[in-house]
Each structure stands twice: as structure tokens, then as C-alpha cells.
Amino acid sequence: MSMQEKKQMQERSILFSLVIILLAQLNMNLLLADFKISIAAVCYPVFLLLLDNFSYLMVCLGTTIGVLVSRVFVFWMQNGNLRGSVASCFPEVIFYLTYSILVWFYVVYRKKKKISHGEMLIPILLIDYISNFLELLCRIQIEAFDGKSQLGIFCIACLRSGLVWCVLTAFDQYRLFLQKKDHEERYQRLLLLISKLNDEVVWMKKNTVLIEETMRTAYFLYDQLKEEEKEEEAGAALKVARDIHEIKKEYLLIMRGLSTAMEKEYEADGMFLSEIFRILNLSMMGAAEEKGKQVQIALEYNDDIYIKKQYHFMSVFRNLLMNAVEAGEKEEVHITIREKKEEGKYWFQVEDDGPGISEENQEEVFLAGFSTKINYQTGEIARGLGLNLVKDLVEQHFQGKILLEAVPGHTVFSICIPEDQLEGEDDEYLSVG
């Protein structure tokens, strides 16, 4: 352990002890005039069982001595009798020492047996009862066995142990809630990442055809130049063809690696439409904030479909929504997604209140490389691949079609997908229901 870590442990132990010492001053008399019940006796076991990276011995001794000194000082200030103050407060040392030692043994045992907080009510009750009994025995000796005294300390032990158990259980539930929330957020990010990777894999598969055609063209040019006895030019054409061939091999290796990594995800269960739209809504809100905008997405659907091609489906709508956010000229972008089923087909509409698409550009927006989105500050032009990818996914993977209707201030993309291409079965739901 480094010096810095030791220093941090000491500081935490001192802070822990000071908090308990201060809380010990919030007390009330019960059973006897000098027998005090404080809130520290509830917080002490909670801190011991929840916190880590502190010196147990330092906290035990610091708390015991600190509570004794503070109680003696308060008693002395109130009554002006130092000797009487020590005699009255010293038995509390028995309580805190006993409590600390028993809790330490229980913590060691609990770690070995991996006992949860929900199973610790009885042990904590016994520890509290034994500690109170020994303090009471130190104060009134044999009278501590009196039935009234025993009932009193047992009731106190039940009350404080119940509070400790409630606090620890609440912390457990809160921790589970945070873990569940964190896992859900990671799951959503993973789904979006796979969806984006899916876009790139689709493009890479399309580009392999272009690479192959370019390589053939280079070889054809080589043959032509060789027949014309242009050796230097022919050699250059051959080198281009060979380089393209090497690029193609590396390209295919990368594409195969991505496809293999994602293959198991493709085979996984699908997702409900509501879950996909919820994830897209959250992701678009974050994307809009990055661009200094706000997005309001209204969802109107009648059928919570279980979609078997969830990543392709998510890619379609993520690209359409992102396109609407980026194209929007207002600070607040409004988008509406509608769904309806007609004659064995699902119709989806994505409508936004952006600048629209001019009539002369409507035929070209689905072409690769075409884009009207320009950053006038940097001069950067968008890749122009989103809508082309959407069209390819809808037509090739879903055997559907996509239509565009646009006027200034109003753009609607309509997507039609056959029922058998979209719906899957939720095996878990079917097995339960």
C-alpha cells in the first residue's frame, strides 16, 4: 500500500470516528438516568458494514475514546462534577468496544459465507442486545438480569436492528437500481454501436463490387497498353491492378472480421418496436444536444411488433431521424413517426418540420454521395450515404419500398415492409405465456 493510500485510509478513519462521536451526542435516557440511547448506535453498524478502505482498529478505538471524552465533557459542563462524569459515562466504553469486536467478527464471517444484508437482521439484533446487556451489567450488576431490564434492552435491540436492516436493505436496492440503470444504458449504447457497424458493413459489401470492377478495369487497361507496346504505361496499369488486389484482400479480411463478430448478435432474439423507438428517441436527444438543438419525437403506433431484424430496422430509422436533425434549421426539431398495418404490410411514416427537399433534388437524394448538408464554417460536406443506405436496407433486406413527399417546411418518408419480412417471435414471451 502506497503512502498516499495509507493517508487516505487514515483520513477516512478519522472522519468516520468524528461523525459517530457527533451523532452520539443525539441521545435520550432509557431504563436508567445514565443509560443513553443514541442515533450513533444505528449509524455505527451501517458505516461498518457499508464502508471500506478504513482502519477498523483506528475507528474502534477512536470512536470508543471519543464518545467517552465527549460524553464526560458534556456531563461535566452540565453538572460540574468531573469524577461523577467519568463514573457515569465510562460503561459506554463497554458498549462500543463489545459492539465493534462482535461486528468485526461478523463481517469476517459474512465475507467468507457471502451473506447478504437481507440475512443479517438476527446477527445484528444479537450483537446489539449483548453489547447493551454488558453495559447495563457494568452499571447495575445483578439487577441487569431483571425481567424489566431484559425486556427493555431487547426492545431497544429490536428497534435499532430493524432500522439498521432497513437502511442496509435500502442501500442494496438503490445499488441494484443503479447497476440496472447502468447496464441498460450500456445495452442501449451497444445496440446503437452494432447498428452503426451494420451500416458500415452494408457499405463495405457494396464497395467490394466497385473494387472488383476497378481491378478488372486496371487489368483490361494493362492488356490494351501491352498490345500497343507501351511498356511503361502497361507496367503502371499492372501495378495499379496489383495494388487494388492487395487492398481488396485486406478489405475483405476486415469485413469478414466485423461480420464474424456481429454474427452472433444477428442470431440473437429480436426486439419490440416500442423498445427500438425508445432507444432511438434517447439517442437522438443526445445527438441533437451535441449540435446545439432540441428534438421532439412523437410516436404514433398501433402494433408493438416483435421485429426479428432489429439492427437493420434500427439503422433505417436512425439514419432518417439523424438526417432530419441535421437538416433542421430551427433550434427545436419536431419529428413524428407513425405506424399502421394494411393488407399484410406495415407502413411507417417519418415526418419532420425541416426545410424540405426541393423537387429537383428529390430524385437524387437516394443516390450515394449526394448531400445538401454543408457546414459553412468548416466547408465540410456530409458523405451523402444515409438515405442511399436506407433505400438499400428497405429494398434489399426487407423487400419493401420507400417513398418521399417533400415541400418547404415539410418532409415525409413513407416505408412499406411486408409483414413476413418484419415480424419475429419472442420465444421468451411465448414460453411464459
Side-chain angles (χ1 to χ4, degrees):
M1 184 181 295
S2 66
M3 292 297 295
Q4 182 67 21
E5 290 175 337
K6 288 182 179 179
K7 183 179 179 181
Q8 290 177 351
M9 178 180 290
Q10 291 174 354
E11 290 175 351
R12 176 174 289 194
S13 302
I14 293 171
L15 178 62
F16 185 179
S17 301
L18 288 175
V19 170
I20 296 300
I21 292 169
L22 291 174
L23 291 175
Q25 307 313 310
L26 304 175
N27 57 73
M28 60 179 291
N29 294 334
L30 198 65
L31 298 178
L32 299 171
D34 295 332
F35 190 78
K36 299 181 182 296
I37 304 299
S38 72
I39 192 174
V42 175
C43 298
Y44 192 43
V46 171
F47 288 170
L48 290 175
L49 292 166
L50 283 182
L51 300 180
D52 54 9
N53 193 27
F54 65 90
S55 171
Y56 206 95
L57 179 62
M58 183 181 293
V59 169
C60 174
L61 294 177
T63 300
T64 303
I65 296 172
V67 170
L68 174 63
V69 172
S70 62
R71 287 276 179 86
V72 168
F73 178 76
V74 172
F75 192 95
W76 177 48
M77 292 296 292
Q78 291 176 343
N79 300 279
N81 185 350
L82 182 59
R83 181 178 296 180
S85 301
V86 174
S88 173
C89 300
F90 185 78
E92 291 189 41
V93 172
I94 304 298
F95 173 85
Y96 280 97
L97 282 177
T98 305
Y99 204 104
S100 299
I101 293 170
L102 292 177
V103 169
W104 182 80
F105 278 113
Y106 175 68
V107 168
V108 173
Y109 174 79
R110 180 171 166 265
K111 287 181 178 179
K112 288 183 179 180
K113 298 296 182 178
K114 296 181 179 180
I115 300 173
S116 67
H117 289 154
E119 303 174 78
M120 60 176 294
L121 179 60
I122 300 301
I124 291 298
L125 189 152
L126 290 175
I127 291 172
D128 193 297
Y129 171 78
I130 292 171
S131 302
N132 273 329
F133 173 70
L134 291 178
E135 179 187 348
L136 196 62
L137 188 64
C138 180
R139 290 184 183 279
I140 59 176
Q141 288 80 43
I142 194 68
E143 293 181 16
F145 292 95
D146 180 69
K148 184 178 178 181
S149 300
Q150 290 294 309
L151 179 61
I153 60 174
F154 180 76
C155 290
I156 293 169
C158 288
L159 177 61
R160 289 200 302 214
S161 302
L163 289 174
V164 170
W165 180 82
C166 288
V167 172
L168 293 174
T169 302
F171 269 98
D172 274 349
Q173 294 301 316
Y174 182 65
R175 188 183 293 114
L176 288 174
F177 168 76
L178 292 179
Q179 289 178 350
K180 182 179 179 181
K181 184 179 178 182
D182 181 59
H183 290 165
E184 184 177 352
E185 289 175 352
R186 290 185 182 182
Y187 176 65
Q188 291 175 5
R189 290 195 297 268
L190 177 62
L191 289 175
L192 290 169
L193 174 61
I194 294 174
S195 175
K196 292 176 182 178
L197 286 175
N198 173 69
D199 291 357
E200 300 304 323
V201 170
V202 170
W203 268 108
M204 291 174 76
K205 288 180 179 178
K206 293 179 69 174
N207 287 339
T208 52
V209 177
L210 179 61
I211 293 173
E212 187 71 32
E213 290 177 354
T214 305
M215 186 176 65
R216 288 176 183 173
T217 301
Y219 273 119
F220 175 77
L221 181 61
Y222 163 72
D223 290 335
Q224 290 292 105
L225 292 171
K226 194 170 184 181
E227 287 180 4
E228 296 174 6
E229 297 183 353
K230 296 180 179 180
E231 296 298 329
E232 186 175 349
E233 292 85 349
L238 181 61
K239 184 178 184 304
V240 170
R242 287 174 177 172
D243 289 344
I244 293 175
H245 180 67
E246 292 301 314
I247 291 172
K248 175 190 172 184
K249 288 196 298 184
E250 296 296 329
Y251 196 83
L252 290 174
L253 284 173
I254 295 171
M255 188 174 69
R256 190 177 297 117
L258 286 173
S259 298
T260 302
M262 296 169 60
E263 187 174 340
K264 291 184 179 180
E265 287 296 330
Y266 284 134
E267 295 173 355
D269 292 337
M271 295 172 62
F272 283 104
L273 181 66
S274 57
E275 187 178 5
I276 292 176
F277 281 166
R278 182 174 62 85
I279 292 173
L280 288 172
N281 191 7
L282 291 173
S283 68
M284 286 304 110
M285 290 173 65
E289 287 180 3
E290 291 177 359
K291 298 181 180 298
K293 300 179 182 179
Q294 293 182 347
V295 62
Q296 299 289 335
I297 301 177
L299 303 173
E300 301 175 7
Y301 56 92
N302 302 313
D303 310 289
D304 197 5
I305 317 160
Y306 192 77
I307 298 171
K308 56 186 178 183
K309 299 178 182 178
Q310 71 270 35
Y311 297 118
H312 291 137
F313 186 85
M314 188 177 292
S315 293
V316 169
F317 285 88
R318 181 175 54 78
N319 277 286
L320 289 176
L321 293 173
M322 198 67 213
N323 193 67
V325 170
E326 291 178 345
E329 297 176 342
K330 301 175 183 177
E331 185 177 341
E332 188 168 299
V333 180
H334 294 87
I335 304 174
T336 302
I337 303 178
R338 301 184 182 90
E339 173 271 332
K340 64 179 179 178
K341 184 178 181 181
E342 290 182 354
E343 299 177 354
K345 296 179 180 179
Y346 285 103
W347 281 90
F348 297 91
Q349 284 188 335
V350 180
E351 178 182 347
D352 67 69
D353 61 350
I357 302 172
S358 63
E359 188 174 348
E360 61 269 20
N361 288 336
Q362 290 184 22
E363 294 295 328
E364 299 180 343
V365 291
F366 292 109
L367 298 178
F370 179 84
S371 177
T372 59
K373 297 191 287 290
I374 303 174
N375 188 327
Y376 291 100
Q377 294 180 344
T378 64
E380 182 182 358
I381 302 176
R383 291 194 302 171
L385 303 179
L387 292 179
N388 181 264
L389 177 65
V390 167
K391 182 178 176 66
D392 184 77
L393 288 171
V394 170
E395 294 179 350
Q396 301 299 323
H397 292 272
F398 289 108
Q399 308 302 312
K401 61 182 179 181
I402 182 169
L403 306 173
L404 169 62
E405 175 189 344
V407 295
H410 182 82
T411 303
V412 180
F413 287 95
S414 299
I415 299 170
C416 178
I417 301 176
E419 178 182 352
D420 61 343
Q421 293 292 322
L422 193 63
E423 288 188 342
E425 291 183 346
D426 182 3
D427 295 333
E428 182 179 356
Y429 174 78
L430 292 175
S431 65
V432 175

